[in-house]
């Protein structure tokens, strides 16, 4: 198979030139076999090679644009600097010193600390918000009480009718001397109607703002364009924090086609008090350092356990291209393999790699009750069809799949393990969140928080219908073909 020219192309060139091109073609093909698999999973390498050999010129161009997950050395150095500082300053904190739960939890906490540097911290409290507007109202209320600083970071940010009161509170905070800093993803927010108007409004305020991972070739800002900062964090004064799946935008994403059919996003956010807030603030400060080149020394609160805010133990785990270890994937699979009785998973985009798929199906096969909550209809064509291509393997293993009714998009990202562990944050259970997106997850320990998350899962189940294997196997052949084709694209990392 020729990489750079279609069959018959050589017939119109001199024999010597054709021979040179054939040798060049073979040499490049041979070189790619040894280059592309480097530091990639075999499945990803095979997907890239197949794309290049099937669609030669176009495939190679796509690889040159999207084939590298590396960021610039400056960002990597800053992340390493922050990790070393955290490790040094938290060395005296014992890993779950007073924890009396299952032994595997301590090993997961040790893993998380090794990968993400942040320790598990006692003395927290957490409140869950499953109501979209209630969550934004709670964030607005906390900003209204700010005295020192407000740190806002959302993948998608829009100044609209629903988020307007939040931004008004931020503006008022700046007017009373509070430092308000805002981060939002360049491409994630750019696609929302009203983006340019938002930038103009921000420029008229005292809010300090930056776009994360901007694509600006003429200013020296260029990288793989689908690397995104997908985190959602709000920290006020270091005393209260919010994190979860929800973006800072109205629930229909300001798109008329969503409003016409009544499509809204369903989310889960948590408000936390206690030392875990300092950990969330570190994640924000790291991203601010990367984008603004400013170290927020005065706003960093010491990372230490404190029994004053509550009895909940929490651990924040950052992940993304700045970490070479796929932190979130390792925590997820370790917890799933540790489960003994029950696993409840909620992910809008469930596109697992082999390790996560094996963990989930193995759990079901060894007798653990495993359920997965997903949307009945996807909001992203390629991701949705890649996701459903895994349903047969899940159903055959005994995983129960619950389809949340359209037109709603179940966008929540969380799971619970037995009665011991709850995890929520910005990370989907897909290859993009594991390898290409900056994410933040929080592990919360104890039966009480798991019980509260189970109530959220119960509401999903009550509204959903269960997908059966016989129904899934009976779907048309054309849909199966599209599903399998899109599954291949999911591995292009």
């Amino acid at each position: 198979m020729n990489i750079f020219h279609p069959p018959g192309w050589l017939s119109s060139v001199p024999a010597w030139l054709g021979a040179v091109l054939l040798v060049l073609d073979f040499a490049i093909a041979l070189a790619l076999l040894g280059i592309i698999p480097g530091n990639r999973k075999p499945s990803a390498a095979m997907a890239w090679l197949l794309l290049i050999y099937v669609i030669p010129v176009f495939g190679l161009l796509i690889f040159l644009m999207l084939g590298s997950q590396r960021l610039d050395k400056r960002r990597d150095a800053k992340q390493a600097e922050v990790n070393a500082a955290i490790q040094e300053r938290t060395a005296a904190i014992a890993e779950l010193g007073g924890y009396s739960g299952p032994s595997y939890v301590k090993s997961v906490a040790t893993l998380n600390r090794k990968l993400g540097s942040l320790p598990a911290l006692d003395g927290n409290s957490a409140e869950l918000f499953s109501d979209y507007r209630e969550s934004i109202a709670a964030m607005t209320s906390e900003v209204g009480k700010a005295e020192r600083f407000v740190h806002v970071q959302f993948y998608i940010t829009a100044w609209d009718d629903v988020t307007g009161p939040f931004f008004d509170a931020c503006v008022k905070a700046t007017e009373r001397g509070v430092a308000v800093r805002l981060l939002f993803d360049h491409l994630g927010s750019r696609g929302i109607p009203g983006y340019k108007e938002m930038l103009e409004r921000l420029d008229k305020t005292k809010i300090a703002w930056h776009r994360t991972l901007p694509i600006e070739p003429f200013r020296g800002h260029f990288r793989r364009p689908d690397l995104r900062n997908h985190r959602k964090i709000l920290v006020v004064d270091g005393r209260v924090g919010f994190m979860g799946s929800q973006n800072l935008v109205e629930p229909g994403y300001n798109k008329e086609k969503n409003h016409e059919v009544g499509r809204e996003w369903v989310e889960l956010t948590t408000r936390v008090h206690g030392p875990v807030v300092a950990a969330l603030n570190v994640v924000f400060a790291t991203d601010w350092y990367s984008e603004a080149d400013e170290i927020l020394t005065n706003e960093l609160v010491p990372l230490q356990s404190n029994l004053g805010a509550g009895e909940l133990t929490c651990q924040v785990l950052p992940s993304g291209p700045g970490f070479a270890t796929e932190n979130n994937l390792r925590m997820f699979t370790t917890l799933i393999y540790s489960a003994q009785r029950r696993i409840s998973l909620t992910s809008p985009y469930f596109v697992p790699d082999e390790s996560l798929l094996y963990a989930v199906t193995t759990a079901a096969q060894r007798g653990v009750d495993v359920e997965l909550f997903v949307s009945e209809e996807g909001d992203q064509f390629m991701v949705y069809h890649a996701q459903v291509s895994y349903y047969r393997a899940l159903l055959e293993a005994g995983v129960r799949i619950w389809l949340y009714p359209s037109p709603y998009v179940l966008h929540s990202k969380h799971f619970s393990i037995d009665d011991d562990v709850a995890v929520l944050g910005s990370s989907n259970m897909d290859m993009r969140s594991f390898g290409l997106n900056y994410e933040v997850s929080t592990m919360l320990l104890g039966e009480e928080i798991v019980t509260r998350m189970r109530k959220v899962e119960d509401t999903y189940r009550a509204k959903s219908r269960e997908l059966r294997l016989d129904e899934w196997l009976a779907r048309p052949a054309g849909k199966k073909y599209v599903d399998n084709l899109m599954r291949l694209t999911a591995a292009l990392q």
Side-chain angles (χ1 to χ4, degrees), residues 322-482:
F323 300 89
T325 47
E326 295 187 325
N327 300 355
N328 44 358
L329 174 61
R330 290 174 187 262
M331 176 175 69
F332 293 178
T333 54
T334 303
L335 286 170
I336 290 169
Y337 273 120
S338 300
Q340 298 299 308
R341 297 180 300 279
R342 177 176 173 180
I343 301 171
S344 291
L345 310 171
T346 303
S347 180
Y349 314 116
F350 186 83
V351 187
D353 73 341
E354 291 90 341
S355 65
L356 181 60
L357 181 64
Y358 274 42
V360 173
T361 54
T362 299
Q365 290 165 338
R366 59 188 171 86
V368 178
D369 292 330
V370 184
E371 61 181 352
L372 170 65
F373 295 97
V374 291
S375 296
E376 183 177 36
E377 294 183 4
D379 63 306
Q380 298 183 27
F381 177 86
M382 294 177 66
V383 177
Y384 172 73
H385 283 281
Q387 169 178 300
V388 302
S389 72
Y390 291 90
Y391 286 178
R392 177 174 178 174
L394 294 169
L395 292 168
E396 289 180 338
V399 177
R400 301 183 70 180
I401 299 178
W402 297 94
L403 303 178
Y404 199 87
S406 62
Y408 295 98
V409 176
L410 183 59
H411 194 248
S412 304
K413 311 164 197 299
H414 54 87
F415 65 95
S416 56
I417 303 293
D418 295 339
D419 298 322
D420 309 315
V421 181
V423 175
L424 80 160
S426 66
S427 179
N428 299 304
M429 289 187 166
D430 69 351
M431 299 182 203
R432 166 166 293 280
S433 283
F434 299 144
L436 303 179
N437 289 349
Y438 282 96
E439 307 283 6
V440 61
S441 304
T442 299
M443 182 173 73
L444 307 98
L445 306 180
E447 184 174 354
E448 190 271 338
I449 188 64
V450 173
T451 298
R452 281 190 279 148
M453 185 171 283
R454 289 270 166 78
K455 291 181 180 179
V456 175
E457 295 161 352
D458 290 344
T459 63
Y460 296 163
R461 194 181 303 103
K463 295 178 180 179
S464 303
R465 72 175 183 88
E466 186 173 3
L467 178 65
R468 302 289 185 179
L469 179 59
D470 55 352
E471 172 193 349
W472 190 243
L473 293 178
R475 75 192 194 283
K479 289 187 176 181
K480 296 178 183 178
Y481 178 85
V482 173

Side-chain angles (χ1 to χ4, degrees), residues 180-217:
V180 179
R181 299 178 178 91
L182 169 65
L183 292 173
F184 53 87
D185 188 79
H186 181 198
L187 295 185
S189 297
R190 191 182 186 89
I192 303 300
Y195 174 73
K196 290 184 179 179
E197 291 79 3
M198 179 185 73
L199 300 187
E200 293 172 358
R201 296 177 76 173
L202 287 172
D203 279 338
K204 296 176 182 178
T205 73
K206 296 179 181 179
I207 297 173
W209 60 273
H210 287 275
R211 297 166 297 177
T212 59
L213 299 174
I215 306 296
E216 299 170 323

Side-chain angles (χ1 to χ4, degrees), residues 141-158:
S141 176
E142 296 294 353
V143 172
K145 304 172 189 176
E147 298 178 353
R148 296 175 52 218
F149 65 85
V150 176
H151 290 163
V152 188
Q153 178 175 6
F154 289 89
Y155 171 63
I156 292 177
T157 299

Side-chain angles (χ1 to χ4, degrees), residues 39 52 95 160 194 226 247 349 382 489:
N39 204 30
I52 293 170
E95 205 67 78
D160 53 44
D226 60 342
N247 287 299
Y349 314 116
M382 294 177 66
T489 67

